[in-house]
Amino acid sequence: MKLHHVIEAQQFNLESLHHLFDAAQYMEQVVAHGGTTEFQKRIMAALFYEPSTRTRFSFETAMHRLGGRVISTENAAEFSSVAKGETLEDTVQILNGYADVIVIRHYEVGAAKRASAISRVPIINAGDGAGQHPTQALLDLYTIRKEIGGIDGLKIAMVGDLAQGRTVRSLTYLLSKYQDIKIYFVAPTLLKMKEDILEHLRERNIWYVEETDLDKVLPEVDVVYQTRIQKERFGDRISDYEKCRGVYVINSHTLSLMKEKSIVMHPLPRLDEISMEVDKDPRAAYFRQAQNGLYVRMALLSMVFS
Ligand code: CP
C-alpha cells in the first residue's frame, strides 16, 4: 500500500491500519536479521523543533535498518536557519531538494499540515504542539494488538494531561474506527479531553465517560494509558501545573486494582506518574511499546517509499 503525507490519525482506515500492522510485523523479522539494504538510495530529513528521544531516534534507526541515510537537526529552532528567521515553508522547500521524506516535529498545531501543503516529498508529522502525534498512535495501537490480541471490544483508560496531550487525541481517532470500544477519560478538571474529540466520539456512537477517580476505573479496563502532565505547555500558568502534577500515579497499589491480563502503557518520557516499582511487573508494557515504534516507523517509511 502506498502512503504519501502522514499528518493525522483520521487519514487511516481499517484496511490501511491492518496493512501497516502486517508490514510492522514483517519489519520485526527484518530487524532480527540485521536489516535490509532495500532503501539504500533514500534519504530521510529529520527536522525537529521540539525535544525528542524516542521519535527521532526510532525514525533514524528505522531509516538505517532499511538501508537508507539520514540528515538531521535535533534543535531546528537553534541549529538551522530558522534561528535567522527562515520560515517553515522555506525550510521545507529547501529540504525538498535534498531528501526523499521529511519527518517534522514542531511546537505549533498544524505545522506538519502547512509543510505538506507546499512539499512534493512526503511529510511525516512527528508531533505538532498539542495537535496530533499520528505515528505514536499507530505504534500504540500495534502494541495493544500485540499485547492484548485484538482491539475490538477494548476498554481503555486514558489518564493525565488529556487537554494538551497529542498522543491521546490521535489514539482516540484510531480507536474510534473499531467495534465496541469503551474509553474512560481520567483527568483533573483543568486537563479534560477537548470537546472536538468528544464530539467525534458521539458522532460515531463510541462509548466514553469522563472521570476524575482513577481507582474507580482500574478494575474495568484492559489498558491504562498513562500520560505526563506537560509542564512545557502551561506557559506561565505554573499554579495550574502545580495543582495537576502528581494527581495520578501508577504504583503497586494501582497495579493491585488492575486486571491480571491488563497492561500499562505510556508514550514516555515519564516523570513520577509511573513509579519505578511498576517496571518489573509483566503488565508494564511501556518499554515494549517504545520498541514497537521502530517496527511501525520502518513499515511507514517503506510504504512511503514504495
Ligand atoms: N513518545 C514520544 O513522542 O517521545 P519523544 O518525545 O521522546 O519523541
Side-chain angles (χ1 to χ4, degrees):
M1 195 191 78
K2 175 105 183 93
L3 265 182
H4 196 57
H5 302 306
V6 178
I7 305 300
E8 55 189 17
Q10 302 93 300
Q11 75 185 77
F12 290 86
N13 58 26
L14 283 179
E15 191 189 354
S16 57
L17 287 171
H18 294 160
H19 188 93
L20 176 76
F21 296 154
D22 286 348
Q25 215 169 343
Y26 171 72
M27 291 304 172
E28 296 203 24
Q29 297 307 311
V30 171
V31 172
H33 290 93
T36 172
T37 54
E38 193 179 343
F39 297 102
Q40 60 184 326
K41 293 196 175 148
R42 304 294 189 151
I43 294 178
M44 180 189 89
L47 184 61
F48 277 59
Y49 293 79
E50 272 191 341
S52 169
T53 297
R54 279 144 292 275
T55 312
R56 189 169 71 87
F57 281 120
S58 64
F59 262 115
E60 294 194 4
T61 307
M63 200 58 192
H64 287 295
R65 291 285 187 203
L66 291 169
R69 283 162 288 178
V70 174
I71 53 174
S72 174
T73 173
E74 67 187 53
N75 182 353
E78 195 178 338
F79 297 137
S80 74
S81 283
V82 170
K84 303 175 203 160
E86 188 165 59
T87 63
L88 173 68
E89 281 80 359
D90 278 3
T91 306
V92 167
Q93 190 73 43
I94 297 305
L95 288 178
N96 263 250
Y98 306 152
D100 302 299
V101 61
I102 304 171
V103 179
I104 297 183
R105 170 168 289 187
H106 202 281
Y107 45 83
E108 277 177 23
V109 176
K113 199 167 197 164
R114 265 171 56 207
S116 70
I118 53 107
S119 183
R120 293 182 309 282
V121 304
I123 297 290
I124 300 182
N125 181 4
D128 60 332
Q132 284 218 27
H133 195 349
T135 70
Q136 176 71 43
L138 292 166
L139 77 89
D140 292 341
L141 210 57
Y142 182 71
T143 301
I144 293 170
R145 206 178 83 137
K146 204 165 141 183
E147 298 269 338
I148 306 275
I151 297 162
D152 289 332
L154 187 82
K155 293 181 184 172
I156 180 169
M158 297 192 190
V159 185
D161 190 347
L162 306 185
Q164 306 173 120
R166 54 197 175 200
T167 68
V168 285
R169 292 175 59 76
S170 292
L171 183 56
T172 303
Y173 276 123
L174 290 188
L175 286 170
S176 73
K177 296 175 186 301
Y178 288 83
Q179 298 291 316
D180 301 324
I181 299 294
K182 288 192 169 176
I183 307 178
Y184 302 71
F185 293 117
V186 183
T189 310
L190 281 170
L191 297 176
K192 286 168 65 172
M193 180 55 92
K194 292 228 175 85
E195 187 53 32
D196 62 328
I197 295 288
L198 301 182
E199 193 182 331
H200 172 79
L201 293 176
R202 287 193 296 270
E203 276 168 9
R204 295 186 71 99
N205 276 326
I206 307 289
W207 188 97
Y208 74 85
V209 68
E210 293 184 275
E211 259 297 342
T212 51
D213 184 354
L214 177 59
D215 284 4
K216 199 169 140 191
V217 308
L218 288 171
E220 304 289 327
V221 298
D222 308 299
V223 175
V224 175
Y225 191 97
Q226 174 67 305
T227 64
R228 178 174 61 94
I229 307 294
Q230 299 176 89
K231 187 177 183 184
E232 68 274 22
R233 305 230 185 271
F234 281 82
D236 56 8
R237 295 180 295 124
I238 295 301
S239 67
D240 283 350
Y241 171 69
E242 293 299 339
K243 275 183 219 157
C244 298
R245 66 178 288 205
V247 173
Y248 303 115
V249 176
I250 308 293
N251 53 26
S252 302
H253 164 72
T254 321
L255 287 175
S256 74
L257 299 177
M258 288 173 58
K259 292 182 196 170
E260 202 183 320
K261 293 283 180 202
S262 59
I263 55 170
V264 179
M265 297 177 67
H266 192 310
L268 305 178
R270 71 168 156 187
L271 299 182
D272 48 10
E273 66 276 3
I274 299 181
S275 303
M276 303 269 273
E277 68 202 17
V278 176
D279 294 0
K280 58 184 182 303
D281 191 286
R283 289 171 288 182
Y286 32 92
F287 294 126
R288 298 191 291 274
Q289 178 186 357
Q291 177 66 45
N292 288 334
L294 172 63
Y295 311 129
V296 169
R297 287 171 176 136
M298 285 175 77
L300 276 172
L301 288 168
S302 70
M303 287 159 75
V304 157
F305 293 143
S306 58

